[in-house]
Each structure stands twice: as structure tokens, then as C-alpha cells.
Amino acid sequence: MLHPHLDSVLLTADDIQARVRTMAHAIDADFAEDDRVHLVCVLKGAFMFLADLVRAMSARVTVDFIAVSSYAASTTSSGEVRVLKDLDARLQGRGVVIVEDIVDTGLTLRYLQALLRTRSPRVLRTACLLNKPSRRQVDVAVDYVGFDIPDRFVVGYGLDFNDRFRGLPYIATLAPANVIRERRPPAP
Ligand code: PRP
């Protein structure tokens, strides 16, 4: 049974697994000439997508992690991007794929792409599981898109709301009443 704070399942675990496999094969094909693909996972939301992507790829992969913060404890993007944890390894000359869970306004991804380009990768591509085209504020290139979704607050498969629901194997929409209730500041 669905958690009472959730509205409905938008993407089932099977939908996600099938799509991630297709994306993995597309990345494999595009980097077929390379001896390895370096995947940069954007924490925290993309950790589950990364784990499934890596297992579905046949190319030799290396992984690294970057953490950025673009959202306050609310459902809207502040537009502010801060690097909370930087990469461990250099990108120079490497075939790099940014692995993101969701592109909403595009502000985070635009910032990340610009930042990582300054580190001179040979190729820089982006894989994003979820895309909300109707929310876009800036133009960003996404090479591998899992699903275009409507403008609803989604949780599960790594995505959270106030740090809840990341462990769900599917992606669900949050019930609107809960979005409103949980956005209120706590009582004094
Ligand atoms: C999400 C997502 C992107 C960003 C997209 O991260 O992982 O990084 O928001 O939004 P934008 O296109 O409007 O910039 P979030 O801030 O929720 O952090 P988390 O992944 O650590 O939960």
C-alpha cells in the first residue's frame, strides 16, 4: 500500500529499470572507443540511478561524487548552487558523464557543467533520469534523458522530500496537502 503522504506511482520499478538499461547501453555505445567512462554522480539524489546505471553498463567505469545544494527545505529551487563536496579526482582528458537524478529549472546542471568544463575533460556529457521541461529557466544540454515528467513533486528512487522516501524502488508523486503542510516553518 502507498504511504498516505504519497499520491500515486508515476514510474514503477520495472519502468525505471528498463529505461536505465536503455540509457546504459546508449552511453556504452557512445563511449565505445574509450577505454573507460568516468561517471560523476551528483549527490544525493542520483546515488540509486548511478548504482543501477553502473550495473547495466558493460564499459569499464570509474565513479566520483560531487554534492551541491540548490534547494532549501522547500519544494522550490532557490537558484543558489553551493558545492558541498567536490570531486576527488581530476577530469583532464577523460570521457565524463554527469549523472543527475532530476533537471528542474536547470540552474544546478548549468552550474555543474560550467564548473566541470573548466577542468578540461575530453568529453562532457550528462545523463539525467527525470526531466521537467515545463520548469526550465535556463537552457542546458542533457544527452541522455530517462523520462520527461509533469511539474509534480516526486520522491523515491533516491529522491527525497525533507530526507524522506529516498529508498522507494519506484517514483511517486507527493500528495499536494503534504507539500503544503510540510513547507510551513515549524511552530515556535
Ligand atoms: C535536485 C537534483 C538537482 C537539482 C535540480 O537536488 O538532484 O541537483 O535539485 O534542480 P534545478 O534544475 O532546479 O537546479 P536537491 O537539491 O533536491 O538535492 P539532493 O539530490 O541532495 O536531495
Side-chain angles (χ1 to χ4, degrees):
M1 218 191 59
L2 212 55
H3 187 283
H5 288 187
L6 304 181
D7 219 9
S8 61
V9 175
L10 188 65
L11 299 165
T12 66
D14 285 348
D15 293 335
I16 297 167
Q17 294 303 320
R19 188 72 190 129
V20 171
R21 270 195 300 276
T22 306
M23 296 173 83
H25 298 157
I27 298 171
D28 276 341
D30 288 349
F31 287 85
E33 305 296 310
D34 295 47
D35 65 339
R36 72 193 70 176
V37 186
H38 190 59
L39 301 179
V40 168
C41 176
V42 186
L43 294 172
K44 300 177 181 133
F47 75 94
M48 214 176 276
F49 177 37
L50 174 85
D52 284 337
L53 201 57
V54 166
R55 284 179 286 188
M57 284 176 66
S58 51
R60 181 174 166 196
V61 301
T62 50
V63 297
D64 204 347
F65 299 86
I66 191 166
V68 295
S69 167
S70 59
Y71 284 81
S74 71
T75 58
T76 50
S77 173
S78 64
E80 268 181 41
V81 179
R82 275 189 311 141
V83 175
L84 304 176
K85 180 225 172 289
D86 208 339
L87 299 173
D88 293 335
R90 289 157 62 89
L91 300 183
Q92 195 160 10
R94 303 176 104 163
V96 175
V97 180
I98 298 173
V99 178
E100 253 291 22
D101 53 342
I102 186 162
V103 184
D104 189 325
T105 63
L107 291 164
T108 306
L109 187 57
R110 182 179 66 168
Y111 176 87
L112 273 173
Q113 289 178 341
L115 176 71
L116 300 192
R117 272 198 198 98
T118 65
R119 302 179 184 187
S120 311
R122 188 185 57 74
V123 180
L124 181 67
R125 292 181 183 253
T126 301
C128 187
L129 184 69
L130 305 175
N131 181 37
K132 280 186 186 174
S134 63
R135 292 265 308 159
R136 198 71 92 250
Q137 289 179 18
V138 292
D139 242 359
V140 278
V142 185
D143 306 279
Y144 313 97
V145 177
F147 303 92
D148 283 344
I149 61 167
D151 182 18
R152 290 291 309 272
F153 198 90
V154 288
V155 295
Y157 196 71
L159 289 92
D160 75 310
F161 181 64
N162 290 349
D163 260 332
R164 297 177 67 186
F165 305 117
R166 286 195 201 274
L168 300 175
Y170 52 84
I171 289 171
T173 52
L174 198 67
N178 292 298
V179 177
I180 293 161
R181 189 168 64 229
E182 298 210 18
R183 282 178 72 177
R184 278 198 202 122

